[in-house]
């Protein structure tokens, strides 16, 4: 009441924002009269009253006091009489807002007595709304929150319940919504493809002070982690609500909070940290043997596809040497990076700061003045209040109280949000009670605890970030480059030694025999095969000097070439018999996808996928990998993908052949351009055709009308027949390619041009082109 409610109400009164008919009834067990209540309010507002001396007496007349005990029903009857007198004075049925500015232990008692005394009933369906405003913490865990929610649900409708988290009313946090969704600067890169980590911290110089009895039963995680920090996380990661409405915004906050994971016992040991400042037990009300944390740090990630893999840290502590309340969004360095030689890869940051200053800072890198190509850190800064600082809490409570009077629930917690947040924090608190994370101690008023908590590892299911790649052709070489730029150590082997030597200049560690490659890989070894399907894969795996004779139990082989899924099933069985793990990956996107992020269809055993997920994530474009259970399933999905690709390419080629022979003098590049601008057939294939016209001209004179075919189309047709399924489009497109050797055509030229654009395949028949080196 002293810090928040009374000052906020007075500010609203001074700004003429309160309703014309407005009263405040104080209800407490204290033996106060209305006059002594007024004196208390005047004391609270001493500074503000000095600035507005003519308004303070008018404001005080809005307040009356009724003494009562929370547990006595008769005292609520006395409260009802006061409200009835106000109704009679104004000759209306008043709207009633019951603000529970009490400890959570009293919630149930007060709400049951409010209901029993009929104070929560509206006068009629059309007049006199009733609302209840509840302060955090809302329960002590999920079970108590649900129990309390059940009671609220019995007495009130959800639209009558206003659960306060005053952080939602902070100007900077409200600005996050506008920064992200009103502007078109960053939202398209606001995902795991571009963002590396999100750090949310609330450092405070203050301690527990006179809140010892309350705080000791709550702790830092419940006090600010379960609510403030998770609401901050929701705002910075939620999806676009598409409209500025209470329902839409709360819907998206709920949806993102539901993607918070339940940390396992192992994760609680390795991803959480808790500590207590050394003077804490001297506070009144704190137990002498208290293990309550005054500082915590938790590392997690969201499980949804947009944010999977982005490291998120939540951190808060008391008695730290500086106030710092902020959200820091760190972007991945660009790949490839235009960085000066021997300079680190610089990373951009966007900082939403609440304290010590309120604003948004965008950090970027620019060139220093001078003749050298030196780099310096620069920033773009938006300061919300460059000239003044607002009074803590008052501004937020002005907004919340006014919104509650207006009936706007946007900045209040929904019951589903509360459940999702408790669902995340409950296992951590339970793990701490079991001492899975031992309590540490830190000196107050220092930054010591910040360095103590840096032991937190960035968890990975892999004990190392090293992979061996066999096959450094167009795909394998670009996969190696992509992994190197994502901080992987890559050892590469190619039978054409010149290819390996070239990549050594880019950071790859070359191996010139399979034995040399295996010797340089730490256990468990991870070997990525990027080889031509069929015999080359079997030779590398099962030949006289094959991998199967040199690998150990627990090692992993990943076949990412376009192998037949049936072969992958057999290879999985053979390797599994020796304790060697096998995964099959269909990789789509061509050399460009390998370089910048591809589409990965991963098959095999889920437990192995979980260990290797970081590798697949780093190789994929945004949301560009998916696991399918079962040996060969990844290659099966890719096989059908390529069969569909045959049919799509054939339809495009036939359509553009019709366009070329039409009675109109059509600009085929312009047709491809307009088809790629929101039409139903817009696709990457249409864009690639436009690129082919740019490179070779519309007549495609340099491109052969004979179209090569790889095995996937044939495998798809044969598999469909085995399954008793008709696939006439894919079958006819495969037949066309076979016949194109005798009947080359413009349709064939388009197909060859498309294959060249996305896969780098030759545009001339093999006989007319120089044979490519053996790349496995």
């Amino acid at each position: 009441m002293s810090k928040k409610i009374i000052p906020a109400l007075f500010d609203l009164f001074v700004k003429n924002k309160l309703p014309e008919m407005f009263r405040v009834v104080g209800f407490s067990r204290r033996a106060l009269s209305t006059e002594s209540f007024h004196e208390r309010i005047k004391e609270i507002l001493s500074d503000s009253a000095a600035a507005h001396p003519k308004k303070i007496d008018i404001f005080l007349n809005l307040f009356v006091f009724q003494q009562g005990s929370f547990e006595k029903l008769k005292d609520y009857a006395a409260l009802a009489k006061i409200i009835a007198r106000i109704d009679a004075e104004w000759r209306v049925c008043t709207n009633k807002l019951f603000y529970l500015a009490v400890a959570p232990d009293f919630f149930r008692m007060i709400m049951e007595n409010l209901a029993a005394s009929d104070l929560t009933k509206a006068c009629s369906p059309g007049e006199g709304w009733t609302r209840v405003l509840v302060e955090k913490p809302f329960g002590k865990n999920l079970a108590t929150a649900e129990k309390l929610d059940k009671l609220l649900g019995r007495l009130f409708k959800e639209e009558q319940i206003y659960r306060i988290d005053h952080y939602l009313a902070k100007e900077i946090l409200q600005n996050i919504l506008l920064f992200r969704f009103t502007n078109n600067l960053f939202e398209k890169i606001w995902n795991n493809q571009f963002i590396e980590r999100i750090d949310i911290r609330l450092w405070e110089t203050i301690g527990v002070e006179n809140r010892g009895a309350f705080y000791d039963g709550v702790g830092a995680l419940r006090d600010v982690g379960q609510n403030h920090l998770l609401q901050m996380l929701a705002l910075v990661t939620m999806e676009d609500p598409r409209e500025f409405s209470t329902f839409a915004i709360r819907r998206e906050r709920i949806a993102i909070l539901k993607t918070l994971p339940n940390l396992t016992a192992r994760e609680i040991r390795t991803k959480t940290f808790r500590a207590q400042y050394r003077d804490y037990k001297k506070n009144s009300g704190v137990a002498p043997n208290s293990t309550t944390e005054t500082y915590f740090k938790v590392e997690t990630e969201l499980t949804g596809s947009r944010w999977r893999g982005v490291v998120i840290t939540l951190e808060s502590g008391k008695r730290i040497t500086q106030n710092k309340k902020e959200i820091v969004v760190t972007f991945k360095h660009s790949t490839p990076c235009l960085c000066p030689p021997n300079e680190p890869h610089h990373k951009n940051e966007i900082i939403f700061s609440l304290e010590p200053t309120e604003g948004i800072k965008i950090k970027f890198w620019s060139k220093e003045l001078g003749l050298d190509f030196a780099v310096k850190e620069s920033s773009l800064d938006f300061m919300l209040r460059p000239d003044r600082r607002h009074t803590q809490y008052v501004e937020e409570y002005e907004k919340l109280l006014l919104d509650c009077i207006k009936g706007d629930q946007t900045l209040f917690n929904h019951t589903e949000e509360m459940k999702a947040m408790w669902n995340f924090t409950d296992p951590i608190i339970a793990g701490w009670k079991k001492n899975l994370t031992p309590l540490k101690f830190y000196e107050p008023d220092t930054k010591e605890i910040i360095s103590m908590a840096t032991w937190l590892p960035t968890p990975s299911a892999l004990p190392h970030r090293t992979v061996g790649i066999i096959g450094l052709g167009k795909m394998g070489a670009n996969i190696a480059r992509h992994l190197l730029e994502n901080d992987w150590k890559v050892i590469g082997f190619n039978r054409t030694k010149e290819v390996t030597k070239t990549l050594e200049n880019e950071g790859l560690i070359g191996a010139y025999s399979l034995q040399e490659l295996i010797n340089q890989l730490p256990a468990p070894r991870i070997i990525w095969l990027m080889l031509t399907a069929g015999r080359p894969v079997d030779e590398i795996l099962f030949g006289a000097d094959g991998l199967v004779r040199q690998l150990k139990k627990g090692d992993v082989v990943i076949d990412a070439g376009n192998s037949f899924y049936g072969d992958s099933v057999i290879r999985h069985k053979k390797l599994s018999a020796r304790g060697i793990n096998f995964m099959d990956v269909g990789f789509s996107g061509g050399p460009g996808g390998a370089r910048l992020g591809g589409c990965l269809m991963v098959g095999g055993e889920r437990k192995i996928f979980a260990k290797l997920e970081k590798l697949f994530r780093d190789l994929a474009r945004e949301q560009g990998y998916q696991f399918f259970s079962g040996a060969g399933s990844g290659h099966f999905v890719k096989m059908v993908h390529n069969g569909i690709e045959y049919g799509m390419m054939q339809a495009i080629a036939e359509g553009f052949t019709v366009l070329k022979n039409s009675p109109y003098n059509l600009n085929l590049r312009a047709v491809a351009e307009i088809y790629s601008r929101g039409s139903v057939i817009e696709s990457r294939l249409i864009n690639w055709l436009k690129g082919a016209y740019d490179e070779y001209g519309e007549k495609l004179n340099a491109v052969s009308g004979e179209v090569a075919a790889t095995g996937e189309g044939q495998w798809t047709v044969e598999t469909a027949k085995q399954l008793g399924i008709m696939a006439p489009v894919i079958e006819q497109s495969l037949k066309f390619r076979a016949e194109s050797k005798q009947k080359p055509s413009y349709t064939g030229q388009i197909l060859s041009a498309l294959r060249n654009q996305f896969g780098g395949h030759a545009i001339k028949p093999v006989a007319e082109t120089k044979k490519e080196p053996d790349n496995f």
Side-chain angles (χ1 to χ4, degrees):
M1 188 192 80
S2 301
K3 290 183 178 180
K4 305 171 184 178
I5 303 169
I6 297 299
L9 285 174
F10 186 67
D11 273 15
L12 290 173
F13 174 73
V14 170
K15 295 172 183 176
N16 294 317
K17 292 294 185 181
L18 293 177
E20 287 185 21
M21 291 186 285
F22 184 82
R23 291 283 174 83
V24 180
V25 182
F27 184 82
S28 167
R29 65 177 178 271
R30 295 187 184 185
L32 297 175
S33 63
T34 294
E35 289 73 21
S36 56
F37 188 39
H38 285 182
E39 289 301 316
R40 175 73 183 117
I41 294 168
K42 190 181 276 190
E43 182 184 329
I44 291 168
L45 297 174
S46 56
D47 292 337
S48 300
H52 303 279
K54 294 181 181 180
K55 298 206 173 196
I56 188 66
D57 288 335
I58 303 171
F59 180 69
L60 290 175
N61 287 332
L62 302 179
F63 289 78
V64 296
F65 184 81
Q66 172 63 45
Q67 184 182 14
S69 296
F70 298 153
E71 67 273 14
K72 293 180 181 178
L73 185 59
K74 67 180 182 63
D75 290 342
Y76 291 80
L79 178 61
K81 287 179 181 178
I82 290 181
I83 295 173
R85 285 201 301 269
I86 297 171
D87 285 2
E89 177 187 341
W90 289 342
R91 298 182 181 179
V92 294
C93 175
T94 54
N95 300 317
K96 302 173 188 68
L97 167 59
F98 295 100
Y99 192 130
L100 274 60
V102 300
D105 293 342
F106 296 110
F107 285 174
R108 170 177 289 275
M109 181 189 303
I110 292 172
M111 286 186 287
E112 286 180 339
N113 283 330
L114 284 173
S117 61
D118 290 336
L119 279 167
T120 58
K121 285 187 177 179
C123 299
S124 70
E127 62 174 345
W129 53 250
T130 302
R131 293 172 186 150
V132 60
L133 204 157
V134 184
E135 280 278 3
K136 73 165 186 71
F138 194 74
K140 289 189 174 182
N141 50 38
L142 180 59
T144 58
E146 287 182 326
K147 193 174 181 180
L148 188 57
D149 221 39
K150 188 176 180 181
L151 172 66
L152 275 173
R154 181 162 53 84
L155 304 176
F156 303 95
K157 296 178 181 177
E158 180 62 29
E159 58 266 28
Q160 293 176 281
I161 305 167
Y162 289 71
R163 304 173 188 84
I164 280 189
D165 184 338
H166 72 271
Y167 263 63
L168 284 174
K170 286 186 176 292
E171 287 286 353
I172 283 297
L173 297 194
Q174 293 177 72
N175 258 296
I176 292 175
L177 292 179
L178 297 179
F179 179 86
R180 290 184 57 194
F181 304 125
T182 304
N183 302 299
N184 194 27
L185 292 170
F186 297 105
E187 190 57 26
K188 284 192 169 56
I189 58 170
W190 209 256
N191 53 58
N192 55 8
Q193 186 178 358
F194 298 95
I195 292 175
E196 177 177 283
R197 62 185 300 118
I198 299 171
D199 298 285
I200 305 176
R201 58 181 62 96
L202 300 180
W203 296 350
E204 296 181 294
T205 56
I206 62 170
V208 173
E209 277 82 44
N210 58 358
R211 299 173 69 218
F214 163 77
Y215 195 91
D216 203 42
V218 176
L221 183 59
R222 283 193 184 108
D223 189 41
V224 298
Q226 184 270 340
N227 36 72
H228 299 338
L229 288 173
L230 292 183
Q231 284 293 350
M232 293 164 75
L233 175 63
L235 291 172
V236 84
T237 57
M238 62 186 272
E239 296 291 334
D240 188 347
R242 302 295 180 185
E243 61 181 40
F244 202 84
S245 71
T246 297
F247 171 78
I249 292 171
R250 293 174 98 187
R251 176 193 64 210
E252 297 305 334
R253 291 204 314 253
I254 292 166
I256 197 68
L257 288 169
K258 284 186 174 180
T259 67
L260 284 164
N262 285 331
L263 298 188
T264 64
R266 176 184 173 276
E267 289 169 330
I268 291 168
R269 288 189 185 96
T270 60
K271 294 185 180 183
T272 74
F273 180 92
R274 62 182 178 131
Q276 183 186 101
Y277 66 82
R278 294 192 185 278
D279 291 343
Y280 170 72
K281 294 186 183 73
K282 295 179 182 179
N283 287 283
S284 176
V286 173
N289 60 346
S290 172
T291 58
T292 297
E293 80 286 352
T294 59
Y295 172 92
F296 71 88
K297 187 172 184 179
V298 174
E299 187 175 286
T300 187
E301 68 175 68
L302 299 171
T303 59
S305 57
R306 179 172 185 166
W307 295 107
R308 189 183 295 121
V310 176
V311 175
I312 294 167
T313 64
L314 308 170
E315 177 189 25
S316 181
K318 290 189 173 296
R319 295 291 296 273
I320 297 174
T321 191
Q322 90 183 94
N323 283 323
K324 181 176 281 191
K325 301 178 181 181
E326 64 184 9
I327 303 171
V328 181
V329 179
T330 303
F331 288 79
K332 298 176 180 178
H333 62 71
S334 58
T335 53
C337 177
L338 184 62
C339 298
N342 303 316
E343 287 278 338
H345 283 196
H346 302 296
K347 297 177 182 180
N348 304 115
E349 290 180 349
I350 296 178
I351 302 172
F352 302 95
S353 176
L354 290 79
E355 287 189 37
T357 57
E358 290 179 281
I360 302 172
K361 181 189 291 286
I362 301 171
K363 289 187 178 181
F364 63 98
W365 299 88
S366 61
K367 181 185 174 298
E368 291 266 23
L369 287 171
L371 299 176
D372 296 328
F373 197 70
V375 174
K376 68 174 183 177
E377 184 180 86
S378 304
S379 68
L380 295 172
D381 298 90
F382 159 69
M383 302 307 296
L384 184 63
R385 301 173 226 268
D387 300 322
R388 70 179 183 90
R389 294 182 63 183
H390 77 288
T391 305
Q392 180 80 321
Y393 302 124
V394 175
E395 180 180 87
E396 293 84 358
Y397 273 77
E398 284 183 54
K399 175 67 174 168
L400 293 169
L401 286 166
L402 194 58
D403 282 358
C404 191
I405 291 168
K406 290 178 177 178
D408 184 348
Q409 291 182 301
T410 305
L411 302 180
F412 294 86
N413 285 320
H414 188 277
T415 180
E416 292 300 318
E417 288 178 274
M418 300 300 300
K419 290 177 183 178
M421 292 188 290
W422 280 122
N423 199 47
F424 173 70
T425 55
D426 271 3
I428 299 171
I429 294 167
W432 288 352
K433 285 183 177 178
K434 296 176 182 177
N435 207 34
L436 295 181
T437 305
L439 183 71
K440 305 292 184 179
F441 296 92
Y442 63 100
E443 293 300 326
D445 309 322
T446 68
K447 276 190 176 180
E448 174 196 27
I449 186 60
I450 308 305
S451 59
M452 283 174 65
T454 56
W455 63 269
L456 274 169
T458 299
S460 171
L462 292 173
H464 58 78
R465 291 174 62 87
T466 306
V467 64
I469 299 180
I470 298 176
L472 299 173
K474 291 188 290 287
M475 290 290 293
N478 278 352
I479 284 171
R481 293 183 178 105
H482 192 111
L483 287 174
L484 287 167
E485 288 168 354
N486 278 278
D487 301 321
W488 285 80
K489 182 179 179 181
V490 181
I491 294 109
F493 168 75
N494 202 77
R495 286 186 180 174
T496 306
K497 295 181 180 179
E498 291 72 21
V499 175
T500 307
K501 288 178 180 178
T502 299
L503 285 170
E504 283 181 318
N505 296 327
E506 300 180 45
L508 178 126
I509 299 170
Y512 294 91
S513 69
L514 291 181
Q515 186 64 58
E516 185 180 352
L517 178 131
I518 288 168
N519 289 344
Q520 294 187 75
L521 288 172
R525 299 174 183 87
I526 304 165
I527 297 180
W528 185 283
L529 304 183
M530 210 71 218
L531 306 173
T532 305
R535 181 182 59 83
V537 178
D538 284 328
E539 281 186 3
I540 286 290
L541 288 175
F542 307 114
D545 297 316
L547 293 174
V548 74
R549 301 175 186 275
Q550 303 178 60
L551 294 178
K552 304 291 185 183
K553 186 176 180 180
D555 291 343
V556 184
V557 174
I558 303 167
D559 180 7
N562 283 324
S563 291
F564 178 54
Y565 82 94
D567 293 342
S568 296
V569 173
I570 294 169
R571 290 164 187 155
H572 176 271
K573 187 175 182 179
K574 287 183 177 179
L575 290 171
S576 294
R578 293 174 172 260
I580 300 168
N581 301 300
F582 180 83
M583 302 291 286
D584 53 283
V585 176
F587 198 116
S588 182
R595 186 70 185 86
L596 299 173
C599 172
L600 280 66
M601 302 149 229
V602 185
E605 298 177 40
R606 182 171 291 279
K607 65 179 181 180
I608 307 303
F609 166 76
K611 292 179 180 180
L612 297 172
E613 187 172 5
K614 177 63 176 172
L615 172 64
F616 301 132
R617 183 188 298 144
D618 283 351
L619 280 172
R621 58 176 295 173
E622 177 194 356
Q623 303 179 32
Y625 69 97
Q626 191 62 258
F627 172 73
F628 303 95
S629 184
S633 60
H635 281 151
F636 188 92
V637 173
K638 180 61 163 56
M639 175 190 74
V640 176
H641 162 281
N642 284 16
I644 294 169
E645 177 189 294
Y646 271 53
M648 291 174 68
M649 288 173 62
Q650 187 70 27
I652 290 170
E654 290 176 3
F656 272 80
T657 302
V658 173
L659 290 166
K660 182 176 182 293
N661 291 282
S662 74
Y664 303 99
N665 183 24
L666 297 173
N667 181 326
L668 297 185
R669 189 202 173 282
V671 174
E673 174 77 35
I674 194 60
Y675 282 175
S676 67
R677 300 296 179 187
S679 77
V680 173
I681 62 169
E682 177 184 9
S683 64
R684 297 181 77 188
L685 287 168
I686 293 289
N687 279 321
W688 276 318
L689 179 56
K690 184 176 62 176
Y693 283 144
D694 287 339
E695 187 170 352
Y696 302 113
E698 292 184 16
K699 292 184 179 180
L700 301 176
N701 288 332
V703 182
S704 172
E706 298 179 28
V707 191
T710 52
E712 296 93 328
Q714 182 71 43
W715 297 336
T716 305
V717 171
E718 291 172 354
T719 301
K721 287 179 179 178
Q722 291 170 9
L723 297 171
I725 296 168
M726 299 291 289
V729 172
I730 300 173
E731 188 170 1
Q732 286 302 311
S733 63
L734 181 66
K735 183 179 179 183
F736 175 89
R737 295 193 182 193
E739 293 176 350
S740 70
K741 294 180 181 179
Q742 284 73 43
K743 300 177 184 179
S745 63
Y746 185 73
T747 301
Q749 287 176 283
I750 291 177
L751 291 170
S752 293
L754 284 172
R755 296 183 77 248
N756 171 258
Q757 288 292 304
F758 68 73
H761 302 291
I763 59 172
K764 291 287 185 183
V766 174
E768 297 181 33
T769 58
K770 183 179 179 181
K771 189 175 185 299
E772 293 186 13
D774 184 0
N775 280 323
F776 63 85

